[in-house]
Amino acid sequence: MEGLDRQLRYFVCIAESGSLSRAADALDQTQSGLSKQLAMLETTIGQPLFHRTGRGVQLTEAGKLLYEGVQPAYRA
């Protein structure tokens, strides 16, 4: 459960920053480590959560639904 909690916290930070590198800086993590955690979360969910763009990331429809569901708990 701790791993899923960490992955969801990372997911929220990535969604709010719009960038893996900015989220990695904010979380004091490496970008590659954060990317691995995101990949594990996407495997658990069974769908991609972000579209990678040239300037960062954008939430997919599945990502938007997950963000709306978990964001209030991680903002409290």
Side-chain angles (χ1 to χ4, degrees):
M1 190 67 162
E2 181 181 317
L4 181 58
D5 177 62
R6 180 181 330 114
Q7 291 167 2
L8 289 171
R9 283 188 292 112
Y10 290 177
F11 165 76
V12 169
C13 188
I14 296 165
E16 291 177 349
S17 68
S19 163
L20 280 167
S21 61
R22 284 192 297 265
D25 287 343
L27 294 165
D28 196 29
Q29 299 291 318
T30 64
Q31 186 174 343
S32 64
L34 193 58
S35 183
K36 288 177 188 175
Q37 291 294 318
L38 176 58
M40 288 191 291
L41 180 60
E42 289 177 326
T43 297
T44 299
I45 300 295
Q47 294 193 33
L49 299 171
F50 292 98
H51 295 290
R52 277 68 173 177
T53 67
R55 294 188 170 256
V57 294
Q58 293 181 326
L59 289 167
T60 62
E61 288 302 314
K64 289 177 187 175
L65 290 173
L66 180 61
Y67 180 76
E68 290 170 4
V70 301
Q71 188 268 348
Y74 289 95
R75 299 308 291 167

